Every structure is written in C-alpha cells, then in structure tokens.
Amino acid sequence: MIYAYIAVMAITTYLVRALPLTIFRGKITNKYIRSFLKYVPCACLSAMIFPSILFATNHIISGAVGLLVAILFALRNKSLVIVAASSCVAVYVTELLMTLI
Amino acid sequence: MHKKEFSAGLIASLPVFIGYFSVSFGFGTMAVSLGISVFEATLISFTNLTSAGQFAGLTVISEAALLFDMFLTQLIINSRYALMSLALGQKMGDRFGLGARLASSFVITDEIFALAMARPDPLTVSYMLGLGVLPIIGWTAGTFLGALVGSILPASLATALGVALYGMFVAIVVPQALKSRPLLWVSLLAIFFSCLFQWGPGLKEVSSGLSIVISTVLASVICAFMFPISDEEVEA
C-alpha cells in the first residue's frame, strides 16, 4: 500500500512540474504576462524567506539573527556559499549563546 | 553535452547539495520514526525531490488517508512549481526540446529554479542538467543516512544547517532587489502577503505551500501592472 502512496506522490509532483514546461513552448508576447513571469522568481523567493525563516530554528531570535547576517553578507555581494554558510554559523552561535545564558 | 557548461552547473549547485543533504537528513529521521522503512524513505526522496510536499506526504501516509488526499495535498503544496515551470520555460527558449524539458522538469525545485533564473548567461541544457545532479544525490543520500542513523547528528548542528537554504535565497534576492526598483517592490509586496498569511486573523489555516503561491501571484500581478516591462526589452 505504501508504494501506491509513493507512486501517486511522485507522479503528481512530476506532472505539476512537467506539464507547464512542455505545453507552453512558444515565446509569450503579451507584455503583462511577460512582466508577471519576470517577477515570479523574486516574489516566490521573498515569500518563502519571510516569515518562515523565523520558525525554521529553535528560537525566533536565532532565526532573525541568521536572516540579518545573511542580508548583511548579501549586501556586500558575497557568493551564495559564503552567505549561506555565514547564516548557518550565525544561527549556531546564537543558539549556543542562548543555552549559556 | 558541453563539459564546461555542465561543470559550471555542478559548481553553482554546491550550496544546494549541502543544504539538501542536511534537510533531507531530517526527513529520513522523521520518516523512520513514523514506521516507514529506510528503503521506502529513500525511494520517496529519490522520486519526489521536494521538501514541503514530502513532509506533508508523510502525514498523509501515517494517517492512512485516501490516495485522493495524497493527490490533492501534493497538487496544492507543489503548485508553485507550475508557476516556476512557466517562467523557466520562457528562459529555455528553442534550445530546449521536448526531451530536455521532460528531463529538466524532474529537477525543478525552489533552489534549482532560483539558480537557473539567476544565471545572467543564456540557459543551456548541459548547465541545467549540471544543476540537477548534485541536489538529487544530496537529497537521496541525506535521506538514506538520516533514516539509517537517525539522531546521531546533534540537533543544534542540524538546525543550523537547515538555514543554509534560506541564506541562499537571501543571497539571490537582495542584489536583485537593490538593482531594480520594480524587483524591490515585488519582494516587499510578497513578504507583506506572506506575513498576512502567517499573522492575519483566520489565515493561519491556509497551508504554507498555498500561501506562497497566493503571495507570489498577488505580488507579481500587482507589479506587472505597476511596472510592465517595455516591448523592446529582450530577455536573455
């Protein structure tokens, strides 16, 4: 029975990804639709970052520190790896300090 | 297959590989605690390659709900991928035939999509496939190890590693929003809507996947009308 669940899960997820990519193959010319699609990535990432990052750690404060440190490093145009790593270190150190206090 | 393009994709996906490994580790641990075998948990990760959808799928399985419930849950939580596919399809252009599109579809995740769209150079099939390989390996191997050894990794370390993906998102969004006023507006509006879903009265019931889709659509539609791109503007 579990394999039926896994099959439904995998097929549904794949079709959600594959159908739009294979059906709409032409270049969209309408400028509003093109603007919309241009804005989707930035909107989607922003909506996923905040406020979820605040609840991704053990405490809302360590999540906020992780976010702030990431923004700071991103403002200095550091690479993806550096920004991601500094954010992890910030969260780890913050939570360590919080258990000490 | 262009070797240079492929390895450029591999290198760009390194942070995703690390992030996926740690997040899927948690997934593996959780799956086993719900009575799912190591093999089944690994199979789920290998065939789905999605975080939110899989975590929700575990709930459906552990509640022994209807298969239709599984279908509906995955459809709603993963509906953001349909939007991403649409946007990505425009960037792929004629270089991507049906086969390349069917293969690329499998690796459309939040992170890989972000990397593909953030690339200033035109997207190639080799680059796209290069982006996908390590994340699949990281996601599957992390699940396998997580299911196998459970809670050996200290919880504090696992939590900290889980933030890696958010850090990567920030690194992609911030420079874009600084460079272009419309993108700054899109970003702020999307954050405003997703905060509404988190703290707005009665809106907490909406699943996180769906609230991301609605926030994305609202922010993008508003900005498409506020700042339509000019006709001459050529997309890379």
Side-chain angles (χ1 to χ4, degrees):
Chain A
M1 184 58 187
I2 184 156
Y3 292 104
Y5 280 121
I6 297 177
V8 170
M9 209 171 153
I11 293 169
T12 310
T13 307
Y14 181 73
L15 289 181
V16 168
R17 289 165 166 156
L19 289 181
L21 203 58
T22 46
I23 290 174
F24 301 98
R25 294 182 58 184
K27 200 81 186 165
I28 294 170
T29 50
N30 181 291
K31 75 170 172 182
Y32 293 105
I33 299 178
R34 285 184 49 211
S35 309
F36 170 78
L37 292 176
K38 186 187 168 195
Y39 295 144
V40 161
C42 191
C44 194
L45 292 182
S46 304
M48 282 191 295
I49 296 169
F50 202 86
S52 330
I53 191 171
L54 299 179
F55 308 105
T57 58
N58 293 322
H59 199 285
I60 208 163
I61 294 178
S62 53
V65 171
L67 175 63
L68 286 178
V69 168
I71 291 176
L72 259 168
F73 277 78
L75 283 175
R76 295 176 167 205
N77 280 315
K78 300 287 182 193
S79 73
L80 295 185
V81 188
I82 302 283
V83 174
S86 62
S87 183
C88 292
V89 172
V91 167
Y92 186 75
V93 171
T94 309
E95 299 207 336
L96 203 67
L97 287 175
M98 288 175 72
T99 53
L100 292 178
I101 293 168
Chain B
M1 181 75 86
H2 296 276
K3 258 190 174 164
K4 228 177 110 188
E5 285 285 295
F6 185 76
S7 43
L10 282 184
I11 292 166
S13 72
L14 264 178
V16 183
F17 171 75
I18 297 164
Y20 277 15
F21 188 85
S22 50
V23 173
S24 64
F25 198 92
F27 175 80
T29 314
M30 188 178 162
V32 169
S33 75
L34 289 171
I36 291 166
S37 76
V38 175
F39 174 74
E40 290 155 0
T42 311
L43 185 67
I44 292 177
S45 282
F46 181 65
T47 54
N48 282 269
L49 196 72
T50 175
S51 57
Q54 285 183 206
F55 280 98
L58 282 187
T59 322
V60 175
I61 293 174
S62 66
E63 285 170 353
L66 296 173
L67 282 176
F68 182 73
D69 288 1
M70 179 62 98
F71 166 72
L72 210 60
T73 310
Q74 299 303 315
L75 190 68
I76 292 172
I77 292 184
N78 292 330
S79 52
R80 67 183 186 285
Y81 293 143
L83 279 181
M84 294 180 185
S85 287
L86 264 184
L88 199 57
Q90 292 297 301
K91 197 175 163 79
M92 287 176 169
D94 298 333
R95 292 179 302 279
F96 284 68
L98 184 63
R101 283 176 183 243
L102 286 176
S104 308
S105 299
F106 188 72
V107 296
I108 295 176
T109 65
D110 304 327
E111 295 76 17
I112 297 173
F113 165 74
L115 287 176
M117 293 302 284
R119 190 177 204 218
D121 306 328
L123 203 56
T124 60
V125 179
S126 303
Y127 183 77
M128 191 68 204
L129 296 180
L131 278 184
V133 172
L134 286 179
I136 294 177
I137 294 174
W139 189 248
T140 310
T143 304
F144 175 73
L145 285 180
L148 206 63
V149 300
S151 48
I152 284 181
L153 198 68
S156 55
L157 203 58
T159 310
L161 287 176
V163 187
L165 297 176
Y166 289 101
M168 209 188 81
F169 290 160
V170 171
I172 292 171
V173 168
V174 168
Q176 287 185 2
L178 278 184
K179 254 195 319 209
S180 132
R181 179 179 288 268
L183 287 177
L184 181 62
W185 273 104
V186 171
S187 176
L188 293 177
L189 271 174
I191 288 173
F192 169 76
F193 288 122
S194 76
C195 285
L196 267 188
F197 278 107
Q198 180 68 40
W199 290 297
L203 291 172
K204 192 82 187 75
E205 302 304 313
V206 182
S207 79
S208 68
L210 190 59
S211 62
I212 287 169
V213 171
I214 298 174
S215 305
T216 302
V217 170
L218 285 178
S220 305
V221 165
I222 293 173
C223 288
F225 282 103
M226 275 168 63
F227 315 100
I229 48 180
S230 54
D231 293 328
E232 308 86 62
E233 204 171 327
V234 186
E235 295 262 338

